Amino acid sequence: VLHSGTVGAAFTAAANGCRALAVSLDVLSAADATAGSGGAAVAAAALVRDADRHWATAARVALDLLPRLTAAPVENVLNVNVPDLPPDRLRGVRRGSLSAFGQVQMTVAEAGHGFVRTSLEEPGQAVQPGSDLALLAEGYASVTAIRAVTEVTDVDL
């Protein structure tokens, strides 16, 4: 979540006294791929037109979570990840832990004078049971309550 623009926007809202949730549709995993498939899923997912994505599923999950959001302290952000499935194929919404690593890792493939070429690689780690990525792979939407990174004042510097 540290590299997520969606989560960053939600943290910014929370820092300014607004309740926020970060909702992401899992567009990296093709229907027949697992959440841990990373780079292979990226190529397959690119073949799906944006209009064919299941945005309504993500919207429905977000609406259903609004009562939970309004009941939580304002500094809490709900991080919501929804599989790209039609609503009738969504298995439900579960609380998920944050994966230690995301679906894919951006790496520097080549660097030279005036350029950097990047590539996506699979993390090479097994998907952790109960994590947001595991839940996505199982057809569940995942929700995790998170708070922004804050200053630590109890460390002797």
Side-chain angles (χ1 to χ4, degrees), residues 1-8 11 100-102 104-106:
V1 298
L2 289 177
H3 305 287
S4 167
T6 307
V7 172
F11 281 158
F101 198 87
V104 292
Q105 176 180 355
M106 181 75 68

Side-chain angles (χ1 to χ4, degrees), residues 24-25 49 58 63 72 82 85 96 102-103 106 115 119 140 149 155:
S24 299
L25 186 67
R49 293 181 321 131
L63 285 172
V82 182
L85 297 171
Q103 287 176 308
M106 181 75 68
F115 78 95
S119 66
Y140 292 96
V149 176
V155 175

